[in-house]
Amino acid sequence: MGANNYFNKHTGEGRQQGQGRHWRADGQSARAALWQALREMAPIRVNRLYAAARVTDKPGILYLDLLERAGYVWRSPGKPRTCYLVNNTGPLAPVVCNRNGRYQLRDENTGQTVDVPDTIDYWPGEPDGPHSPRHKTWLAMRMLRTFTVGELVMTTELDAPVVEAQVAELHAFHYLREAPASAGQASFMLPFHRNTGPRAPVVSHTLHLLYDHNSKEVVTRDFSATEQAGATGVLNHG
């Protein structure tokens, strides 16, 4: 049985509104319980989320998958997986619609309907390859330990804006610390506990998260660090 048919058959009293099929269960549905648990408890491990929302059937599990594909939720890779609510639009759980065999989520908080893609490129994906700018910059940081943007540019032979952007990213996530200025240029240090291994950390600007492929750690962005960097010009490289 296809996913669409299973969902329509087992989600209770589905009803037609216009051309769409909407899930409406008596009492608090698994959809509403999951959404409420996410808003109140995220980030939360997936198994604990299911337990909190009393989700034991495939429709509830499918709903979380739809939220992830539509960009409301991100689940960390590996095990145990942790759920992050990255698009908290309000108290009303997005409603599942099935139009011509394709899923949509109607968000009653915003009044918008979101198409759910069949597949997505799950972030963070595979680590950057050895010839990528991110890998080259990370390798130079690990080798130099303390550096300016200009020194990284010389070491990697990359364009300054590319290196500067990566330094700003890692500084915002506290992977880099400010060091005493060198010849009038802002200087940074890679702390020992952040020198986690050869794979470069990867940042999602949409999720405001950093994922460390070496330690498997998920780090939340510190916006105050970015604002301070912009205000004081700490990324000035001459």
Side-chain angles (χ1 to χ4, degrees):
M1 182 182 296
N4 289 3
N5 292 334
Y6 187 96
F7 191 87
N8 294 333
K9 180 177 179 180
H10 292 273
T11 49
E13 315 303 316
R15 66 185 176 92
Q16 295 288 338
Q17 293 183 353
Q19 297 179 350
R21 184 185 300 277
H22 302 278
W23 175 15
R24 290 290 189 272
D26 293 333
Q28 187 182 40
S29 63
R31 168 179 60 83
L34 268 172
W35 183 253
Q36 180 180 349
L38 281 167
R39 296 187 73 234
E40 294 181 359
M41 304 174 71
I44 181 175
R45 290 184 180 179
V46 174
N47 59 338
R48 294 178 180 174
L49 174 65
Y50 288 148
R54 297 181 179 178
V55 170
T56 59
D57 56 5
K58 290 185 178 180
I61 295 172
L62 174 60
Y63 183 65
L64 185 61
D65 180 65
L66 296 178
L67 289 176
E68 183 174 22
R69 283 191 269 153
Y72 286 88
V73 167
W74 177 70
R75 284 184 280 189
S76 63
K79 294 182 180 180
R81 302 191 71 184
T82 299
C83 269
Y84 293 76
L85 181 60
V86 295
N87 191 14
N88 184 1
T89 57
L92 301 177
V95 178
V96 177
C97 309
N98 187 336
R99 297 180 186 273
N100 300 321
R102 298 188 64 85
Y103 283 127
Q104 294 178 322
L105 290 180
R106 183 164 58 82
D107 193 326
E108 297 178 338
N109 301 294
T110 64
Q112 297 179 337
T113 299
V114 179
D115 292 324
V116 179
D118 293 330
T119 60
I120 60 174
D121 293 328
Y122 288 96
W123 183 81
E126 295 298 318
D128 287 78
H131 301 295
S132 69
R134 188 181 305 278
H135 179 86
K136 289 180 178 180
T137 304
W138 177 247
L139 183 64
M141 291 176 179
R142 297 185 69 220
M143 180 178 65
L144 297 175
R145 291 296 303 277
T146 301
F147 45 81
T148 65
V149 170
E151 289 169 341
L152 289 177
V153 168
M154 292 180 59
T155 303
T156 62
E157 299 183 343
L158 295 170
D159 292 337
V162 174
V163 174
E164 186 177 81
Q166 294 183 59
V167 169
E169 284 181 351
L170 295 182
H171 180 255
F173 285 91
H174 292 298
Y175 262 63
L176 298 180
R177 293 178 179 174
E178 294 178 41
S182 174
Q185 297 186 39
S187 186
F188 298 88
M189 177 184 69
L190 178 63
F192 177 79
H193 73 285
R194 288 306 189 190
N195 189 357
T196 56
R199 298 174 176 178
V202 61
V203 170
S204 169
H205 295 286
T206 301
L207 301 174
H208 307 303
L209 296 174
L210 175 147
Y211 182 74
D212 190 321
H213 282 285
N214 303 296
S215 66
K216 312 302 182 187
E217 182 182 5
V218 178
V219 182
T220 303
R221 182 173 182 174
D222 181 0
F223 286 96
S224 64
T226 306
E227 293 169 358
Q228 182 181 8
T232 61
V234 299
L235 294 181
N236 176 38
H237 54 278

